[in-house]
Amino acid sequence: MPALATNDIIAVIGAGAMGAGIAQVAAQAGHPVRLYDNRDGAAREGVTGVRRQLEKRVARGKMAQQEVDTIIARMTPVDGLAELADSRLVVEAIVENLEVKRQVFAELESLCGPDTLLTSNTSSLSITSIAANLERPERMAGMHFFNPAPVMKLVEVISGLATDAEVAETLYATAEAWGKVPVHASSTPGFIVNRVARPFYAEGLRLLQEGAAAPATLDALLRQAGGFRMGPFELMDLIGHDVNYAVTRSVFDAYFGDTRFEPSLVQQALVEAGRLGRKSGLGFYDYSENAESDVPDFASPVKAELPPLVAEGQLGTIAPLVARAEQAGLEVVRRGSVTGQSRLHLGGLTLALSDGRCATEHALDEGLEALVLFDLCLDYGEASAIALAASPGVDAENRDLATALFQRLGLDVAWITDTPGLVVLRTVAMLANEAADAVLQGVCSARDGDRAMQAGLNYPRGPLAWADDLELRFVHRTLTHLQQSYGEERYRASFLLRRKALAEESFT
């Protein structure tokens, strides 16, 4: 279906930051826009706010004043819903209250023509439920923009149970014409992003609760090893714990208490204490004026005579790490593997990529005396930090050898408590698992699931493409080991991921 024509009127209800931002997006795309808010003067304030933001770009030389004037001229504040009657598309961006939204859309349906497309920017309410009392629920859908709407690329186009496929396709094409990255999703709790992203926060919170490492260390590892823009703790502080916790509770409740979405007692305590993050001045970090910055707990420099590094087996994912060792001038000996596993050896010390088992269990299963597990990195050739965990047989000398090795490769080393899956691996495996379940349940396609996480949250890779590169058998094995370690349904592997792993298929 083609996008809406630029002479079609776009109406936005709600002139707060999100509503005004959506109105700006539509006006910048060339549409006449009508902005309504039931609070006196709010729509005019919204337009004024857009002008103010655009003129900041003029001051920085990023935009011409004439362009700003043209965009603002397309935006008309209105005083009542009746003035939206001839709109081709209405985007509602008001309070997250089901009954209020139902009332607004019932009135819109009585005012607007039969070809008007009705959409909600809701981030948590069911489109099916919002549209349930409409005479023509087939023209109702979701257009979920991300804040700030003029900057963030993603738009989730949400189809309710009755939404006409042509309506969804028209909205998709329109969002694309507006310079956005649209994805299709069905109306299920959390849609794509707010559902698939839950493990990013949940695994960090669990690692913290279990004493694996401090927030600053875990954040640094997700950034420097995992390639994420922000770690989970600094991101939760930015979002606000009241908001992040509420979304988690909403998804958890909507899925009837599924333990995959179980809220954290750690975050609940922060909310109860009013430590909401940046907006309150205190969360996981202290944002007061004279507060000292928390720093990651990286190992101090270690000088040690390194024996030859023996690289055993088909290295696969960790091949860039061995290449990095060669580039650093280390003596590297390559040899085949009797067991078929890829491992590294420094004298009597064995080093291996985690597979979801803790080092203690891994060493016991494999009959190894001294084992150090290292974490997953987005790119072993470019990473600047890495997490390590040791089995009980690793003495101080071997610990220093492992530290010295990775430091010689230019990596900050974080020794964490011996925990299943370490930090990056368990986070990526759980993100991929949730994305796979979303695909299995018809929430989205694999392509749209990955696009949503990259465009909506700036993930360095789509979780499913990342899982494909790691090989689904390895990701499935990691999840199986996590579930065995904890004995919890939370870590159960998605059936779709399991089936594809067994069939040696991929998502992309």
Side-chain angles (χ1 to χ4, degrees):
M1 298 297 295
L4 296 179
T6 55
N7 61 352
D8 284 331
I9 297 170
I10 309 299
V12 179
I13 302 175
M18 180 59 79
I22 295 169
Q24 178 185 330
V25 170
Q28 286 182 177
H31 292 272
V33 176
R34 292 177 185 167
L35 182 61
Y36 169 71
D37 195 294
N38 66 358
R39 184 172 64 85
D40 286 346
R44 287 171 180 77
E45 290 171 12
V47 174
T48 300
V50 171
R51 177 183 283 280
R52 190 180 302 117
Q53 291 301 316
L54 292 176
E55 287 182 341
K56 287 180 182 178
R57 301 196 66 196
V58 174
R60 295 195 300 267
K62 300 284 183 76
M63 197 176 220
Q65 183 63 49
Q66 184 178 0
E67 186 179 358
V68 173
D69 294 340
T70 300
I71 292 168
I72 296 301
R74 296 187 186 121
M75 301 177 66
T76 304
V78 299
D79 296 321
L81 287 179
E83 294 180 70
L84 310 181
D86 57 349
S87 302
R88 184 70 174 83
L89 166 65
V90 180
V91 183
E92 167 270 311
I94 61 173
V95 62
E96 288 287 84
N97 180 293
L98 178 60
E99 288 309 314
V100 172
K101 289 182 188 291
R102 281 179 168 175
Q103 290 170 16
V104 167
F105 283 108
E107 188 172 351
L108 284 170
E109 189 174 45
S110 69
L111 292 169
C112 298
D115 294 332
T116 301
L117 305 182
L118 305 177
T119 68
S120 174
N121 183 59
T122 181
S123 61
S124 62
L125 298 177
S126 164
I127 298 299
T128 298
S129 185
I130 294 171
N133 296 330
L134 297 179
E135 293 182 9
R136 291 190 55 206
E138 66 274 11
R139 63 168 164 167
M140 171 81 200
M143 284 190 84
H144 181 210
F145 291 77
F146 287 71
N147 197 25
V151 176
M152 299 301 291
K153 289 292 188 182
L154 183 65
V155 175
E156 291 178 315
V157 177
I158 317 298
S159 292
L161 198 61
T163 304
D164 191 296
E166 290 188 359
V167 169
E169 290 298 339
T170 298
L171 296 173
Y172 186 101
T174 299
E176 202 164 42
W178 291 358
K180 297 302 182 182
V181 176
V183 293
H184 284 294
S186 63
S187 183
T188 52
F191 310 140
I192 303 173
V193 169
N194 280 331
R195 171 184 176 167
V196 176
R198 294 343 301 158
F200 186 71
Y201 313 110
E203 294 310 306
L205 288 163
R206 179 151 216 174
L207 286 165
L208 177 65
Q209 189 170 21
E210 294 176 356
T217 302
L218 295 168
D219 277 345
L221 289 167
L222 267 300
R223 289 194 315 269
Q224 295 178 232
F228 291 91
R229 293 278 186 90
M230 300 180 75
F233 301 99
E234 55 192 344
L235 182 54
M236 285 185 280
D237 271 5
L238 177 64
I239 294 168
H241 292 286
D242 51 343
V243 174
N244 189 264
Y245 179 69
V247 172
T248 300
R249 283 301 307 262
S250 174
V251 174
F252 177 67
D253 292 342
Y255 279 102
F256 308 110
D258 191 321
T259 55
R260 288 178 305 165
F261 308 110
E262 186 174 8
S264 166
L265 291 173
V266 173
Q267 191 171 41
Q268 177 181 268
L270 288 177
V271 173
E272 290 173 344
R275 298 185 177 186
L276 307 181
R278 287 182 178 272
K279 61 183 165 185
S280 71
L282 189 63
F284 286 112
Y285 300 105
D286 187 344
Y287 299 94
S288 59
E289 186 176 349
N290 298 318
E292 293 184 8
S293 298
D294 291 12
V295 296
D297 184 16
F298 290 136
S300 299
V302 173
K303 292 183 179 180
E305 189 71 27
L306 293 175
L309 178 66
V310 178
E312 178 182 277
Q314 296 293 321
L315 299 178
T317 301
I318 67 169
L321 191 65
V322 175
R324 192 165 174 170
E326 291 174 326
Q327 292 164 6
L330 299 180
E331 182 182 351
V332 176
V333 178
R334 298 174 184 266
R335 71 184 187 198
S337 171
V338 176
T339 63
Q341 298 184 49
S342 59
R343 293 173 177 166
L344 306 177
H345 301 276
L346 278 177
L349 175 65
T350 300
L351 303 102
L353 172 62
S354 174
D355 65 357
R357 290 175 288 180
C358 66
T360 301
E361 181 178 6
H362 196 141
L364 186 64
D365 289 347
E366 306 296 334
L368 300 169
E369 177 63 27
L371 171 68
V372 167
L373 293 180
F374 54 86
D375 202 359
L376 177 68
C377 291
L378 172 67
D379 182 345
Y380 283 106
E382 299 292 334
S384 60
I386 197 162
L388 305 180
S391 70
V394 175
D395 58 19
E397 182 180 352
N398 278 326
R399 187 182 175 101
D400 281 349
L401 273 180
T403 301
L405 169 65
F406 286 102
Q407 287 178 343
R408 280 283 298 275
L409 305 188
L411 293 159
D412 290 324
V413 173
W415 286 95
I416 69 169
T417 303
D418 184 19
T419 191
L422 300 179
V423 180
V424 179
L425 176 60
R426 71 189 283 168
T427 300
V428 170
M430 288 294 283
L431 288 169
N433 196 47
E434 196 54 50
D437 235 28
V439 174
L440 175 66
Q441 295 167 9
V443 175
C444 60
S445 67
R447 173 181 176 273
D448 278 359
D450 276 355
R451 276 165 57 97
M453 302 314 290
Q454 289 184 280
L457 294 178
N458 292 314
Y459 279 13
R461 298 216 53 192
L464 295 175
W466 202 340
D468 282 344
D469 281 354
L470 292 172
E471 293 191 358
L472 296 186
R473 287 175 298 175
F474 171 71
V475 176
H476 179 259
R477 185 163 68 248
T478 297
L479 291 164
T480 300
H481 287 152
L482 283 167
Q483 186 177 22
Q484 290 171 348
S485 294
Y486 286 105
E488 296 179 22
E489 280 291 290
R490 168 188 179 127
Y491 295 103
R492 69 187 185 274
S494 164
F495 171 68
L496 180 59
L497 192 150
R498 173 180 170 80
R499 189 181 73 202
K500 284 184 172 291
L502 291 171
E504 298 186 5
E505 296 175 350
S506 65
F507 282 100
T508 55

